[in-house]
C-alpha cells in the first residue's frame, strides 16, 4: 500500500476513535473533540510512533478541511445578532487587541514580519468552538449569546482581513485596493443572495434533496469554489473566500428554501465534520513539532506565555469594552470565550512555517497554547456563568454545564 494510503487510513481511524474517547472522557471532564484529534495525530506522527507522514495528497485534503472549517464558521454568523452598539464595541475591542498583539509579537519575534504572524494569531477567537458550548448550555439565544456572537464573529473575520492586508507580501495600499475589490464582489454576491429566488430554484432544491441529484449541496460547493477562486485571483488568502462563501450561503438558503436550510446544512456538515475537518486537525497533530516543544528552553516557556497573552491581548480589551449591562461574571465569561483560539492559530502558524518566517518551535508553542485555551477557557466560562445563574435563580452551580457526554460530543463536532 502507498504511503498516502496508509496515512489516510490512520487519519480516518483517528477520526472514528476521537469521538469515542471524547464520549468517555466527558463523564469526568468535557474535552472538545478537536483535542483528541490533534493529540492522536501527534501520537502517530514522526515525533512519537512515526506511523504517519504527510505528502502532497494528505496536505491537499488538509487544506480542504481548513477551507470547510472556515466556511462553516462564516455560515454560523447570524447577522441579526451582530449589529448596533455591541458590534461597535466588538470592533473596537478587536482593533485594540490587534495593536497590542502586533506590539507583543514584534517584541517576542524580534522583527516586524514574525511579529505580524504572532500578533494576528493572538487576536483570533474560535467562534466555531464557542457556539456549540453556548448552544448546549442554553446560553446562545439570550442577551449573553448575542454579545458572544458579535465579539466572536469579529474575532473570526478580523484576523482573516489582517492576514490579507499584512501577510500578503504586497504594499499596504495595494493590498487594501485588492481587498476593496473583493469586498465589492462579496457585497454584490450578498445582494444577489438576498433577492427572491424564482419558484423553479426552490422547487429543484426540494425535489433533489433526497435524491442523487443533490442540487442544493452541489450549488453550495459551487458557490464556495467561486469565492475561493475570486480570492485566489486577487492574490488574497483563500480563507477570506471561504468565510465570505459561508455568509453568502446562509443568506441564500434563508431566502430560497428557509424550511430546508437546516437539512442542507446538515449535509454540508456531514461532508465537513465527517471527513475533511478531521483530516485537517489530525494532520495538524502529525505535523506538530513535539520535539521542539519538549526540548526545553525558550520554546517551552513560550506556551504558557502565549496562553497568558490570549487573555491579555484578546481578553483585556473585551473586558473593558463589553456592554455595560453585563454583570461581572458574564463579563468574565465573555473574556474567556473571546480568548479561546485554535483554528485560525493553526492556519496562521502553518502559513508562517511555510513562509519560513516562524520556526517550528514557535508554531508548536502557539498551537499548544491554543489547544489549552480550547480545553480550559470554555469550561471555566461555563462554571462562572453557572455560578451567576445559581445565585440569581437558586440553581446549582453546575446547571449550565452539559449534563451528558452526548451533548458535549454533539457540540464539539460542530466547531
Amino acid at each position: 500500500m502507498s504511503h498516502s494510503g496508509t496515512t489516510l487510513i490512520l487519519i480516518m481511524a483517528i477520526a472514528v476513535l476521537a469521538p469515542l474517547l471524547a464520549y468517555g472522557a466527558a463523564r469526568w471532564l468535557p474535552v472538545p473533540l478537536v483535542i483528541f484529534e490533534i493529540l492522536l495525530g501527534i501520537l502517530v506522527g514522526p515525533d512519537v510512533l512515526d506511523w504517519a507522514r504527510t505528502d502532497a495528497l494528505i496536505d491537499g485534503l488538509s487544506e480542504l478541511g481548513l477551507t470547510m472549517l472556515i466556511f462553516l464558521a462564516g455560515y454560523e454568523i447570524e447577522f441579526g445578532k451582530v449589529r448596533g452598539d455591541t458590534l461597535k464595541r466588538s470592533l473596537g475591542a478587536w482593533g485594540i487587541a490587534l495593536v497590542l498583539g502586533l506590539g507583543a509579537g514584534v517584541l517576542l519575534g524580534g522583527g516586524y514580519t514574525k511579529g505580524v504572524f504572532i500578533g494576528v494569531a493572538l487576536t483570533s477567537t474560535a467562534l466555531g468552538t464557542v457556539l456549540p458550548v453556548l448552544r448546549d448550555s442554553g446560553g446562545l439565544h439570550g442577551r449573553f449569546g448575542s454579545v458572544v456572537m458579535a465579539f466572536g464573529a469579529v474575532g473570526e473575520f478580523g484576523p482573516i482581513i489582517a492576514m490579507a492586508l499584512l501577510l500578503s507580501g504586497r504594499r499596504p495600499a495595494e493590498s487594501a485596493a485588492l481587498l476593496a475589490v473583493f469586498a465589492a464582489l462579496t457585497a454584490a454576491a450578498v445582494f444577489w443572495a438576498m433577492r427572491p429566488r424564482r419558484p423553479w430554484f426552490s422547487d429543484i432544491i426540494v425535489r433533489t434533496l433526497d435524491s442523487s441529484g443533490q442540487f442544493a449541496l452541489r450549488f453550495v460547493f459551487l458557490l464556495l469554489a467561486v469565492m475561493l477562486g475570486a480570492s485566489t485571483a486577487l492574490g488574497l488568502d483563500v480563507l477570506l473566500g471561504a468565510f465570505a462563501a459561508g455568509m453568502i450561503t446562509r443568506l441564500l438558503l434563508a431566502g430560497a428554501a428557509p424550511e430546508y436550510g437546516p437539512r442542507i446544512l446538515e449535509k454540508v456538515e456531514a461532508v465537513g465534520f465527517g471527513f475533511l475537518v478531521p483530516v485537517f486537525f489530525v494532520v495538524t497533530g502529525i505535523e506538530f513539532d513535539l520535539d521542539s516543544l519538549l526540548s526545553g528552553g525558550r520554546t517551552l516557556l513560550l506556551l504558557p506565555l502565549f496562553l497568558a497573552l490570549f487573555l491579555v491581548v484578546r481578553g483585556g480589551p473585551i473586558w473593558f469594552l463589553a456592554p455595560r449591562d453585563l454583570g461581572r461574571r458574564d463579563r468574565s465569561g465573555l473574556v474567556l470565550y473571546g480568548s479561546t483560539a485554535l483554528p485560525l492559530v493553526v492556519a496562521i502558524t502553518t502559513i508562517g512555517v511555510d513562509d519560513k518566517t516562524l520556526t517550528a518551535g514557535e508554531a508548536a508553542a502557539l498551537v499548544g497554547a491554543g489547544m489549552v485555551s480550547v480545553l480550559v477557557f470554555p469550561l471555566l466560562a461555563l462554571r462562572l456563568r453557572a455560578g451567576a445563574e445559581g445565585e440569581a435563580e437558586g440553581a446549582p452551580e453546575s446547571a449550565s454545564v452539559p449534563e451528558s457526554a452526548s451533548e458535549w460530543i454533539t457540540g464539539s463536532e460542530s466547531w
Side-chain angles (χ1 to χ4, degrees):
M1 184 180 295
S2 68
H3 181 77
S4 294
T6 302
T7 299
L8 185 58
I9 289 174
L10 285 170
I11 289 172
M12 297 318 299
I14 289 172
V16 172
L17 179 60
L20 299 178
L21 293 175
Y23 180 86
R27 300 166 187 256
W28 300 278
L29 178 68
V31 180
L33 182 61
V34 62
I35 298 297
F36 287 105
E37 291 171 344
I38 294 178
L39 289 178
L40 290 172
I42 294 173
L43 179 64
V44 302
D47 288 346
V48 184
L49 298 176
D50 197 18
W51 291 350
R53 291 180 178 270
T54 59
D55 55 20
L57 174 61
I58 300 301
D59 284 339
L61 290 173
S62 176
E63 290 175 7
L64 286 175
L66 174 60
T67 299
M68 182 59 67
L69 184 68
I70 301 302
F71 169 84
L72 291 169
Y75 187 95
E76 287 279 6
I77 295 179
E78 298 181 33
F79 291 94
K81 294 184 177 181
V82 185
R83 60 185 180 184
D85 179 66
T86 302
L87 178 58
K88 293 177 182 178
R89 289 176 176 272
S90 60
L91 288 170
W94 185 83
I96 295 172
L98 180 61
V99 174
L100 294 175
L102 292 176
V106 170
L107 289 175
L108 288 173
Y112 173 77
T113 304
K114 182 179 291 189
V116 170
F117 278 99
I118 295 173
V120 173
L122 292 174
T123 69
S124 65
T125 295
L127 180 63
T129 303
V130 168
L131 290 184
V133 176
L134 278 174
R135 186 184 298 114
D136 288 344
S137 65
L140 180 60
H141 300 293
R143 167 62 175 160
F144 181 76
S146 66
V147 173
V148 173
M149 178 75 73
F151 279 81
V154 174
E156 287 266 17
F157 196 60
I160 295 175
I161 296 295
M163 289 168 64
L165 287 173
L166 302 176
L167 301 180
S168 64
R170 293 184 294 265
R171 291 175 299 177
E174 182 182 356
S175 296
L178 291 173
L179 192 61
V181 173
F182 182 81
L185 292 174
T186 302
V190 168
F191 176 76
W192 169 80
M194 295 180 67
R195 294 183 62 190
R197 303 261 74 80
R198 295 185 178 276
W200 68 265
F201 189 86
S202 300
D203 186 56
I204 196 171
I205 286 178
V206 175
R207 288 179 178 273
T208 62
L209 193 58
D210 297 310
S211 73
S212 60
Q214 295 291 332
F215 173 79
L217 195 61
R218 298 182 186 197
F219 192 85
V220 167
F221 285 120
L222 171 61
L223 180 58
L224 173 59
V226 169
M227 296 308 296
L228 292 178
S231 59
T232 302
L234 292 171
L236 302 173
D237 196 281
V238 293
L239 300 185
L240 187 61
F243 198 88
M247 295 189 296
I248 295 167
T249 298
R250 185 185 190 95
L251 294 172
L252 176 66
L253 295 181
E259 66 274 25
Y260 293 98
R263 288 185 60 191
I264 296 170
L265 178 61
E266 286 177 2
K267 293 175 181 287
V268 177
E269 288 182 332
V271 176
F273 295 124
F275 177 45
L276 293 174
V277 174
V279 171
F280 167 67
F281 285 117
V282 176
V283 169
T284 297
I286 293 173
E287 295 180 339
F288 189 88
D289 195 340
L290 186 63
D291 283 347
S292 296
L293 187 63
L294 298 182
S295 62
R298 179 175 182 270
T299 300
L300 188 59
L301 292 175
L302 281 176
L303 192 153
L305 178 59
F306 283 141
L307 184 64
L309 284 174
F310 282 136
L311 282 172
V312 173
V313 170
R314 182 71 180 120
I318 291 177
W319 172 269
F320 288 106
L321 289 179
R324 299 185 183 280
D325 60 316
L326 294 185
R328 180 173 291 272
R329 284 178 178 262
D330 277 349
R331 189 180 292 249
S332 299
L334 178 63
V335 167
L336 288 166
Y337 282 133
S339 302
T340 302
L342 184 58
L344 282 178
V345 173
V346 173
I348 292 168
T349 54
T350 299
I351 296 171
V353 172
D354 290 343
D355 290 348
K356 299 185 177 359
T357 301
L358 292 178
T359 66
E362 290 166 337
L366 263 171
V367 172
M371 290 170 61
V372 176
S373 77
V374 166
L375 182 62
V376 174
F377 291 170
L379 185 59
L380 289 177
L382 281 175
R383 298 288 184 182
L384 277 171
R385 297 203 66 242
E389 291 173 3
E391 292 170 2
E393 303 173 11
E397 183 170 334
S398 59
S400 293
V401 179
E403 296 180 354
S404 69
S406 60
E407 288 179 359
W408 184 268
I409 298 298
T410 303
S412 297
E413 286 179 340
S414 300
W415 86 284

